[in-house]
Amino acid sequence: MKKIVVSAPGKLMLFGEHAVVYNRPCLVGAVNQRLFVEAEKISEKKIFISAPDLKISDFSVSLNDLNKEQPKEVKFVLETVKNFFQKYNIESGLKIKTESQISSEYGFGSSSAVTVCSIKALSGLFQIEMKEKEIFDLAYKTVLALQDVGSGFDIGAAIYGGVIYFLTGGKIIEPLKVKDIPLIVGYTGFKTSTSEIVKQVKAEMEKNPEYYENLYNQIAQIIEKAKAAMENSNWPEIGKLMSENQEILRKFKTPSKEYGVSSEIIEKLIDACQKAGAFGAKLSGAGVGDCIIALGEDKEKIEKAISQAGGRPVSVKIDYQGLKIEKIW
Ligand code: PMV
């Protein structure tokens, strides 16, 4: 095999953000914005990377320099290559090209998608059989080395696709049978740093562990109910559970005293969705900014309400295809 192209979807947190960092489950959906990695072996002892979406056209690094600090646009790919080579005792020059439909504006998980795609591409090129869980473990190790916090839920979504029930660090990854979920997504207009918010929550949690453990337990109970409701396509029930999850996220004591990990704009968008007939709505991800999600039958009406409230509807669907090989030469 000379050349390979693989792709993986982005993600959207449906239930359980923050709690999943502390050994509780979450429900995550893969979204139909995909990332593609093309990889080819070359004889020169270098890695060449082009990533037109990130305006990288001719980056190159010698194989001897893979341990050095790398520019942020290429560091996930290079850390993956380094870890893969180490694990399987391989050394080879490579030409890698990444192309992304995943908008970097929203937190849809392009870093984890590029990591899992790179592993899959390398396993194909070097003909090493890797099970999904092995890809997960290597990707999680790679991502943690670069961003030090994270449950790995985004990696799970990129590998398995669809909707998954996920426990911290991939201890459980269970694909759910969910079809045609009437999901609506709205963007607040800005993205905050996930790791910053996770660190703030951690600092506050250290002051009052019992308070947070109790909130996480409540979230975990909601997730068990949401999992059952998903498998029965009970959208009104899931909407109600979304609103309950949101209420708990509002009880966090940071970053904002008034809204917890929610915020004024998130509350405004959620309120607009509910008034437009949504079954329920909540923030998705770390909070403060980024996206909200809602469930509802009248998509057009709810999306209009999001716009009128100052947000922007984002047109995405659940992608039932996880990590896959697109082409081999
Ligand atoms: O902000 P996002 O969409 O990357 O989601 C973060 C979710 C957290 O639970 C807060 C962190 C994590 O890694 O699970």
Side-chain angles (χ1 to χ4, degrees), residues 11-26:
K11 56 78 185 161
L12 200 53
M13 180 66 96
L14 302 177
F15 282 92
E17 45 276 275
H18 293 290
V20 67
V21 179
Y22 299 100
N23 220 18
R24 307 306 196 285
C26 72

Side-chain angles (χ1 to χ4, degrees), residues 11 13 16-21 107 149-154 191 194 198 284-287 290:
K11 56 78 185 161
M13 180 66 96
E17 45 276 275
H18 293 290
V20 67
V21 179
V149 287
S151 62
F153 77 102
D154 38 6
K191 165 99 183 93
T194 295
V198 171
S284 170
D290 208 13

Side-chain angles (χ1 to χ4, degrees), residues 24 200-201 204-206 208-217 251-254:
R24 307 306 196 285
Q200 287 180 31
V201 170
E204 193 60 34
M205 193 183 154
E206 276 160 9
N208 200 347
E210 262 170 49
Y211 181 81
Y212 280 89
E213 290 295 333
N214 181 28
L215 295 185
Y216 297 148
N217 286 341
K251 290 187 184 153
F252 281 46
K253 297 205 180 292
T254 196

Side-chain angles (χ1 to χ4, degrees), residues 61-289:
V61 58
S62 154
L63 290 179
N64 298 327
D65 291 337
L66 278 181
N67 279 322
K68 294 190 178 154
E69 174 99 16
Q70 304 296 343
K72 68 175 190 323
E73 294 85 354
V74 292
K75 66 181 185 181
F76 283 89
V77 172
L78 291 175
E79 184 75 13
T80 307
V81 171
K82 185 182 91 185
N83 286 339
F84 186 92
F85 283 179
Q86 260 168 17
K87 182 170 166 76
Y88 295 106
N89 206 9
I90 291 171
E91 205 187 69
S92 167
L94 294 167
K95 209 167 143 186
I96 296 175
K97 185 176 177 193
T98 69
E99 248 177 65
S100 183
Q101 302 167 339
I102 302 177
S103 163
S104 55
E105 205 177 358
Y106 323 118
F108 282 172
S110 46
S111 309
S112 30
V114 84
T115 304
V116 302
C117 282
S118 302
I119 295 174
K120 182 78 177 168
L122 294 176
S123 73
L125 278 185
F126 297 99
Q127 300 193 349
I128 290 167
E129 184 109 9
M130 287 179 85
K131 296 207 171 69
E132 283 168 330
K133 188 57 172 49
E134 285 176 284
I135 297 178
F136 179 91
D137 290 339
L138 189 58
Y140 191 42
K141 175 184 165 187
T142 305
V143 167
L144 276 189
L146 297 175
Q147 64 184 31
D148 66 85
V149 287
S151 62
F153 77 102
D154 38 6
I155 299 169
I159 296 173
Y160 293 82
V163 175
I164 58 172
Y165 173 90
F166 179 92
L167 180 62
T168 325
K171 280 174 267 187
I172 300 176
I173 305 176
E174 187 186 332
L176 303 186
K177 290 189 191 74
V178 183
K179 273 238 158 74
D180 305 325
I181 174 165
L183 187 69
I184 294 136
V185 181
Y187 183 53
T188 55
F190 64 99
K191 165 99 183 93
T192 28
S193 155
T194 295
S195 64
E196 256 325 296
I197 300 176
V198 171
K199 279 181 198 153
Q200 287 180 31
V201 170
K202 183 167 185 246
E204 193 60 34
M205 193 183 154
E206 276 160 9
K207 289 190 223 157
N208 200 347
E210 262 170 49
Y211 181 81
Y212 280 89
E213 290 295 333
N214 181 28
L215 295 185
Y216 297 148
N217 286 341
Q218 288 178 42
I219 293 175
Q221 280 173 9
I222 291 175
I223 285 159
E224 296 308 321
K225 291 185 198 159
K227 181 181 179 228
M230 284 264 180
E231 294 184 309
N232 294 322
S233 306
N234 188 346
W235 313 130
E237 170 72 4
I238 298 168
K240 192 181 120 228
L241 293 165
M242 278 184 171
S243 301
E244 283 178 22
N245 192 161
Q246 174 66 19
E247 225 169 274
I248 301 171
L249 293 166
R250 233 181 267 138
K251 290 187 184 153
F252 281 46
K253 297 205 180 292
T254 196
S256 124
K257 284 204 166 47
E258 197 176 348
Y259 300 110
V261 287
S262 186
S263 63
E264 199 175 340
I265 178 72
I266 288 176
E267 294 300 322
K268 213 170 150 195
L269 299 187
I270 289 175
D271 195 46
C273 290
Q274 266 153 354
K275 288 193 174 123
F279 297 130
K282 63 182 278 297
L283 63 84
S284 170
V288 185

Side-chain angles (χ1 to χ4, degrees), residues 184 298-308 313-315:
I184 294 136
D298 197 340
K299 187 174 167 123
E300 217 174 290
K301 188 169 171 200
I302 297 168
E303 287 190 336
K304 200 167 155 212
I306 290 174
S307 299
Q308 280 168 350
V314 184
S315 173

